Amino acid sequence: MRTTTVGDVTILLPDLDPEDLDQVSDLPDDDLHDGLVQDASCRGRQIADWSIRGCRITGADLGEIAWEGGALYGCEIVQTDLSGAALTGVSIERCSVTGSRLTGTRLIDVRLKDVLFDNCRFDYATLNRVSAAGSVAFIDCTLVHGTWSSCRLSGVVLRSCDLSDLELDSCRLDGADLRGSRLHAFAASLDNLQGVALTEEQLPELTRMAIDALSIDVRANVARGYDR
């Protein structure tokens, strides 16, 4: 295992050597361990209690799969299409997901621990009851127009991500690192953002959120006299 540090968070990640992995031409319906999977497809497949461990998956098409139960452990996912996929009750631990597409993906009751998403697309994705049981980081990811509800993601890192029009409903992001992320039209309850880390450049957007949350009436300044 190797580690990477993002801000104040250290993430344990797999350190896979392709020469130590078995070449796999297609993703099976049953468990897969120590495999090297390249350009495989199982689009639209329905899978239950699937366990993938110690694998490197590159250029695969997993779009619109329905994966319920099981685990993804110690894996590297690279340039893989997971658009429209639905993952329910899946545990993801010690994994890196790089340059992959998760547009419209639905994550429901998913548990994350030591997971790094790097340069991935999560636009229009839905996260429902997703929890961070350990270090989790999103770097240079696009999360626009997403909906996250009832998630427990305290301390998560969202560094240099596009969070435009991302809507959070009853999600805990307290202590999250949002530095460098775009917050245009980002919608979240202020009491769920206690202790977040921001840069000075992001303060105007936080001010906007506070004005909206408190229904503050911002009016033009009166230079002299009284506004009658």
Side-chain angles (χ1 to χ4, degrees), residues 115-209:
V115 180
L116 173 64
F117 296 99
D118 187 356
N119 192 28
C120 294
R121 295 194 63 91
F122 276 89
D123 43 327
Y124 297 98
T126 299
L127 276 64
N128 188 10
R129 297 189 301 275
V130 173
S131 62
S135 300
V136 177
F138 296 78
I139 304 175
D140 294 320
C141 291
T142 299
L143 302 105
V144 300
H145 300 291
T147 302
W148 297 9
S149 61
S150 302
C151 296
R152 297 294 177 262
L153 298 171
S154 300
V156 69
V157 174
L158 292 160
R159 180 69 67 86
S160 300
C161 295
D162 190 348
L163 310 182
S164 301
D165 294 291
L166 174 62
E167 182 177 349
L168 273 61
D169 180 16
S170 300
C171 287
R172 298 217 60 88
L173 281 182
D174 45 297
D177 186 348
L178 306 182
R179 287 177 291 175
S181 290
R182 188 166 186 261
L183 303 178
H184 175 70
F186 175 63
S189 175
L190 293 179
D191 60 357
N192 289 166
L193 299 177
Q194 295 185 18
V196 298
L198 299 173
T199 62
E200 289 186 6
E201 291 79 7
Q202 294 170 299
L203 294 182
E205 283 299 331
L206 182 64
T207 301
R208 173 196 59 79
M209 293 171 60

Side-chain angles (χ1 to χ4, degrees), residues 2 7 81 106 118 139 176 193-194 212 227:
R2 59 185 175 90
D81 186 2
R106 290 171 290 153
D118 187 356
I139 304 175
L193 299 177
Q194 295 185 18
D212 292 344
D227 182 7

Side-chain angles (χ1 to χ4, degrees), residues 41-64:
S41 176
C42 62
R43 172 170 286 270
R45 189 182 298 178
Q46 295 187 359
I47 306 164
D49 298 320
W50 202 19
S51 176
I52 303 178
R53 294 175 175 265
C55 295
R56 179 179 174 85
I57 301 174
T58 304
D61 183 359
L62 308 182
E64 300 180 2

